[in-house]
Amino acid sequence: MIVIIKRGATDAQAQEVVEKITAMGYGVNVSKGVERLIIGVLGVRENKEMLAAQLSGIACVERVVPVSKNYKLVSREGAQAGTIIKLPNGVEIGGTAVHVIAGPCTVEGREMLLRTAHAVKQSGATLLRGGAYKPSTSPYSFQGMGKEGLEILAAAREETGLPVITEVMDPRDVAMVETYADILQVGARNMQNFNLLKEVAKARKPIMLKRGLSATIEEWLLAAEYIFAGGNHDVMLCERGIRTFETATRNTLDLNAVPLLKQLTHLPVIVDPSHGTGRWELVSPMARAGLAAGADGLMIEVHPNPADALKDGFESLTFEKFAAMMDGARAVARAVGRPIASDVAATV
Ligand code: PEP
Ligand code: MN
């Protein structure tokens, strides 16, 4: 069961509700976000209706929602409306318009990132991606430029106005990375790094949580619940493919997840067909499929010269191929009544 406290209620009023609940012998989780305070009531097995009625009667309580799922705060049961994540420059993820996040797998240098940022913006991307800290399978492959990479991302934002998203791998880096990034990415390999989840929950920047390599939807939503319960309510999910018996593609992009997540959670859903397929020829068709399935956005790897990319060149699009992909995505987005955000802005 979750108890949603009215906007404008004081901490003392919320504390009174917490005390009432604990006095009745239940556990509580208090999730204090920037806009909302939500109390999760734990251990309610009987007399649910009576308890709900009792709590609903308290003046500062907006509503009480009985939630049957293990993930309470991110469940669709607790929220009629979808979460909308608001970023600088009017970017809103989770609204009617869909967003395209594009950029290289890895920040490899200033010149390549700036060129890529301008090119993807020109074609209609509304956010820039690029890894500065890379989760590499092999200890011998490139680990990322670190802080210098973050500085380059910030410079690209300065020049293009595109908000930037980048991965954070280490709980000790969260506070520093959030001073550069507009969105923090938690990568597939860290989806269940619970210490990292608790740390990004304290960040005051939105989080994009990628699906773990072999994570079920329930495990993924429980990972998102960690962030929400820890007080960060700006969470979005990214389907990036899962491990299956199939080896012809790098991963199996699970597009079932998109409409299913729309039923189960109020969090925005992004589709990453680059990692989801691992083959650049498949990126454009699966990007279109992702939008047709109801995604709120796409994440696409783009590189000035994929053959020379330090990472993931095989799944990266050239600038020209990205522009062509955007044309196809635009047509599907229009067909499902969710235009690409840069087109909406262009017509205002
Ligand atoms: C990435 O986005 O470059 C990345 C490493 O993704 P994932 O965590 O999904 O493998
Ligand atoms: Mn990559």
Side-chain angles (χ1 to χ4, degrees):
M1 177 174 300
I2 60 175
V3 180
I4 300 169
I5 302 297
K6 283 183 185 158
R7 279 173 216 265
T10 62
D11 283 355
Q13 286 175 312
Q15 187 53 34
E16 265 178 51
V17 181
V18 168
E19 279 161 20
K20 271 199 184 123
I21 298 168
T22 48
M24 288 187 261
Y26 302 113
V28 288
N29 168 268
V30 179
S31 173
K32 188 168 193 277
V34 177
E35 291 190 3
R36 284 225 165 272
L37 194 141
I38 306 172
I39 302 169
V41 187
L42 311 172
V44 186
R45 274 170 267 283
E46 293 159 0
N47 303 326
K48 285 183 192 162
E49 286 78 17
M50 215 171 75
L51 177 63
Q54 236 174 322
L55 296 174
S56 302
I58 304 174
C60 71
V61 170
E62 185 177 300
R63 63 200 158 93
V64 177
V65 189
V67 183
S68 57
K69 298 284 196 292
N70 287 331
Y71 45 87
K72 310 258 172 235
L73 303 172
V74 305
S75 167
R76 188 56 102 167
E77 290 171 288
Q80 289 80 14
T83 287
I84 295 183
I85 296 178
K86 297 187 175 79
L87 294 168
N89 296 342
V91 170
E92 288 192 359
I93 300 175
T96 306
V98 295
H99 285 271
V100 179
I101 306 166
C105 180
T106 307
V107 179
E108 297 172 8
R110 195 182 170 88
E111 197 263 346
M112 70 77 75
L113 190 75
L114 289 176
R115 270 179 66 207
T116 309
H118 283 290
V120 298
K121 183 179 180 183
Q122 177 77 28
S123 295
T126 37
L127 295 104
L128 176 68
R129 65 149 286 147
Y133 296 90
K134 292 306 300 181
S136 292
T137 300
S138 163
Y140 307 118
S141 61
F142 188 52
Q143 305 287 307
M145 291 181 78
K147 206 163 171 192
E148 197 186 344
L150 298 176
E151 280 159 9
I152 295 172
L153 282 164
R157 171 183 48 218
E158 193 76 9
E159 265 203 39
T160 60
L162 295 177
V164 302
I165 170 164
T166 197
E167 178 160 356
V168 60
M169 296 205 303
D170 189 325
R172 292 167 298 186
D173 290 339
V174 171
M176 186 269 294
V177 176
E178 82 162 305
T179 64
Y180 292 94
D182 299 292
I183 303 178
L184 302 177
Q185 172 171 324
V186 173
R189 290 156 192 81
N190 274 317
M191 189 204 84
Q192 284 188 314
N193 179 340
F194 299 114
N195 288 335
L196 181 62
L197 298 177
K198 286 178 193 164
E199 201 59 37
V200 296
K202 293 187 221 149
R204 280 295 157 254
K205 291 285 167 70
I207 309 301
M208 186 174 83
L209 179 66
K210 297 192 88 175
R211 184 177 185 175
L213 307 181
S214 307
T216 65
I217 303 258
E218 166 123 359
E219 288 163 343
W220 189 10
L221 288 172
L222 284 167
E225 184 84 3
Y226 264 91
I227 305 173
F228 217 98
N232 191 337
H233 297 180
D234 282 339
V235 184
M236 55 182 163
L237 303 167
C238 177
E239 165 59 42
R240 47 78 73 207
I242 49 175
R243 279 280 165 86
T244 67
F245 58 82
E246 184 55 77
T247 53
T249 49
R250 184 181 187 183
N251 292 295
T252 296
L253 186 65
D254 178 14
L255 288 184
N256 293 351
V258 179
L260 185 56
L261 287 169
K262 288 284 159 196
Q263 278 180 19
L264 297 177
T265 177
H266 54 85
L267 303 179
V269 180
I270 306 294
V271 165
D272 169 359
S274 305
H275 296 87
T277 63
R279 298 167 74 123
W280 71 262
E281 317 93 287
L282 307 186
V283 168
S284 189
M286 296 313 282
R288 297 196 297 271
L291 292 181
D296 297 293
L298 298 170
M299 170 128 134
I300 309 286
E301 286 188 333
V302 178
H303 193 281
N305 185 5
D308 290 340
L310 292 180
K311 270 185 180 299
D312 292 357
F314 45 81
E315 65 190 35
S316 299
L317 301 182
T318 60
F319 298 163
E320 295 70 29
K321 291 199 170 87
F322 178 69
M325 186 228 80
M326 287 297 290
D327 288 340
R330 212 166 264 128
V332 173
R334 234 181 274 127
V336 297
R338 301 193 62 188
I340 294 197
S342 50
D343 292 344
V344 179
T347 57
V348 173

